Amino acid sequence: MTKNERLKGNFRSALVALLSSAAAVANVARAQSLVPVNLYIADLTYRDGSIQVGPPRKLTGDRGIASQPSFTPDGKAILYVSRRDSANAQSDIYRIDLGSLSESRITSTPEMENSPTVTPDGMLMVIRWTPPTLFREWGPWLYDMKGRPVRGVLPGPDTVGYYVRVDDTRFAMVRPKSRTTIALFDSRSGAMTDYDAPVANLPPQLMPEDNAVSYARPDSAGHNQIRRLDLRTFDTSVVISSVVGRVAHAWARRGFVLMGKGNAVYAARPAADRVWKQVAAFSDPQLQSITTYVVSPKGDKIVMISPVKPALQGILRDSIQSGATLSTLLAEYSRMPISQLTSQYDVSEGGMVVIAAEQTAKGHAADAVALLRITTGIFPKSYLPQLALGDAFQKLGERSHAVDAYRASLTLNPQVTASEKRDAERARLAIADAPLK
């Protein structure tokens, strides 16, 4: 193997390691961040073959991070997950009565509860897990409505993250295996059968007036698909290409499917056409990163999710997937003072580093350098952006700048955890191997 081949191999390995470290940092940041994420509810109306979304009403009043809402079967209340503890990212289930807007807490267990729904017999169904056994033992459990665990739904430990009940005995479930799959679980036989992969890690959606569920298949460039699993034949097929970069969708009545992106809601009616049309846009600064999550049983209301500050890395990724170049985007953001950036946007160190690493891998290392200059300014005490900056300069063949960045990463790296020690060793090897310009 020649030196150049060895360096290329090392660089590919470095990018994989960097993406892994950045993803871990992004996950920790999400767990620790308490930038509020709110639920909003809006009326849906249908007229002359179109659908309208009414003015949204905030339900959660900036109380922590709200997610995964579902309607009770009568449509009079919403269950949702709330995380209000930055120390351990504890997730519990809350209920909001839509008449009085009063909120009550249902679960207060040591375990984490996610994805709440109400069963036909009035039980609470959740995904239950604990941090020590995450990715080994987690899955659906039944609780009583006082928040007390009763029993597991599956016959043994399984990795099920999301689900929807499709009839009296079956559930469609999303399983984060080596490739995230959509499966059907039969509670009578205890059989779990996988049908399609890879799928987005979100709840499958019941398709109104159709014996089927929908789910999304992600694409690395953001050209995702909404797909259909027929519950009789078990065939899978494409329903429609998603709004670029989005996977979360919700079915309304009359064949409409809704997706949120930025400050807008888009609608399509796949049976009639395959064109997404903007049906609502909001000027509220807290409604600039909308996810359309669930429609009421009667199809007359939708619950949307939006953070109080949009994620800068999300805006960048959306724009890149829509065809913009990172250099064009950064021309605006690089002129903004750091204080303005962080007050206007939620900036994730890991998220920014992931985008930079992807750009470096795609041959846009100069753009990655520009992004990382902003990132190091926002996170001056973190080693990871400096490590990524070293990789970008190395890709450009700028030895002295690469070595400076790698050395800066070593100075900042506490080298306590296994990943920190691994990254430090990688920086030392990169300094020794940094190619001459």
Side-chain angles (χ1 to χ4, degrees), residues 338-399:
I338 295 299
S339 58
Q340 182 181 352
L341 268 176
T342 54
S343 65
Q344 189 171 341
Y345 300 100
D346 180 20
V347 185
S348 160
E349 173 195 353
M352 298 283 272
V353 169
V354 166
I355 292 176
E358 291 170 348
Q359 292 293 299
T360 299
K362 292 176 180 177
H364 307 303
D367 290 350
V369 167
L371 179 60
L372 291 165
R373 291 295 194 196
I374 296 174
T375 309
T376 56
I378 298 172
F379 304 97
K381 297 182 179 180
S382 176
Y383 81 89
L384 197 58
Q386 293 288 352
L387 186 62
L389 190 58
D391 292 341
F393 277 128
Q394 180 176 333
K395 187 74 170 180
L396 291 171
E398 298 186 17
R399 174 183 169 81

Side-chain angles (χ1 to χ4, degrees), residues 386 390 393 398-410 431:
Q386 293 288 352
F393 277 128
E398 298 186 17
R399 174 183 169 81
S400 61
H401 291 310
V403 169
D404 287 345
Y406 286 132
R407 285 176 175 162
S409 77
L410 283 171
I431 290 171

Side-chain angles (χ1 to χ4, degrees), residues 65-394:
I65 298 175
S67 64
Q68 302 170 19
S70 71
F71 282 89
T72 55
D74 61 9
K76 294 182 178 180
I78 289 172
L79 304 181
Y80 73 99
V81 177
S82 185
R83 291 191 286 128
R84 303 181 183 184
D85 183 350
S86 60
N88 61 9
Q90 178 71 31
S91 60
D92 287 296
I93 307 304
Y94 288 73
R95 181 184 187 275
I96 293 179
D97 181 272
L98 294 179
S100 64
L101 294 186
S102 61
E103 179 187 77
S104 57
R105 184 173 181 172
I106 298 179
T107 64
S108 300
T109 68
E111 293 80 19
M112 311 289 189
E113 287 90 21
N114 293 83
S115 301
T117 61
V118 178
T119 67
D121 58 354
M123 299 284 284
L124 173 66
M125 188 168 171
V126 299
I127 297 296
R128 181 175 185 250
W129 57 280
T130 59
T133 60
L134 182 58
F135 302 121
R136 296 197 306 274
E137 295 181 21
W138 62 331
W141 271 65
L142 292 175
Y143 284 44
D144 65 26
M145 274 302 176
K146 293 183 178 180
R148 296 174 298 202
V150 177
R151 65 181 182 277
V153 173
L154 301 180
D158 203 337
T159 53
V160 170
Y162 294 98
Y163 65 91
V164 66
R165 181 186 292 269
V166 299
D167 56 34
D168 290 342
T169 60
R170 294 184 301 169
F171 299 83
M173 293 183 166
V174 169
R175 311 171 71 202
K177 304 166 66 177
S178 57
R179 293 199 308 163
T180 305
T181 67
I182 184 166
L184 289 179
F185 171 70
D186 190 321
S187 60
R188 291 172 301 184
S189 65
M192 179 87 75
T193 306
D194 294 321
Y195 288 99
D196 201 0
V199 304
N201 203 19
L202 286 168
Q205 299 289 314
L206 287 173
M207 300 177 68
E209 303 170 5
D210 188 5
N211 192 14
V213 295
S214 67
Y215 55 96
R217 173 177 287 178
D219 174 88
S220 60
H223 302 297
N224 310 317
Q225 296 177 343
I226 297 176
R227 294 178 63 83
R228 175 182 182 275
L229 170 61
D230 190 297
L231 297 173
R232 292 164 296 191
T233 66
F234 311 117
D235 292 332
T236 61
S237 58
V238 177
V239 176
I240 190 173
S241 295
S242 76
V243 172
V244 175
R246 291 296 180 267
V247 289
H249 61 281
W251 288 93
R253 296 300 176 186
R254 304 187 186 181
F256 284 102
V257 60
L258 303 174
M259 301 191 81
K261 183 174 183 177
N263 71 331
V265 177
Y266 298 85
R269 192 158 53 172
D273 59 62
R274 293 179 175 266
V275 177
W276 290 97
K277 299 177 182 178
Q278 182 177 300
V279 294
F282 310 112
S283 59
D284 186 332
Q286 294 192 9
L287 279 166
Q288 302 301 302
S289 187
I290 296 168
T291 298
T292 53
Y293 203 85
V294 64
V295 172
S296 62
K298 292 182 179 179
D300 60 346
K301 299 182 186 301
I302 185 168
V303 175
M304 300 177 288
I305 304 172
S306 184
V308 297
K309 293 193 295 185
L312 179 57
Q313 59 276 6
I315 292 173
L316 294 177
R317 188 176 295 282
D318 283 349
S319 299
I320 291 169
Q321 290 175 343
S322 297
T325 63
L326 186 57
S327 57
T328 302
L329 300 170
L330 294 179
E332 173 187 353
Y333 297 113
S334 61
R335 291 193 297 266
M336 296 174 65
I338 295 299
S339 58
Q340 182 181 352
L341 268 176
T342 54
S343 65
Q344 189 171 341
Y345 300 100
D346 180 20
V347 185
S348 160
E349 173 195 353
M352 298 283 272
V353 169
V354 166
I355 292 176
E358 291 170 348
Q359 292 293 299
T360 299
K362 292 176 180 177
H364 307 303
D367 290 350
V369 167
L371 179 60
L372 291 165
R373 291 295 194 196
I374 296 174
T375 309
T376 56
I378 298 172
F379 304 97
K381 297 182 179 180
S382 176
Y383 81 89
L384 197 58
Q386 293 288 352
L387 186 62
L389 190 58
D391 292 341
F393 277 128
Q394 180 176 333

Side-chain angles (χ1 to χ4, degrees), residues 55-71:
R57 178 175 50 160
K58 185 190 287 189
L59 295 174
T60 47
D62 298 350
R63 295 186 294 272
I65 298 175
S67 64
Q68 302 170 19
S70 71
F71 282 89

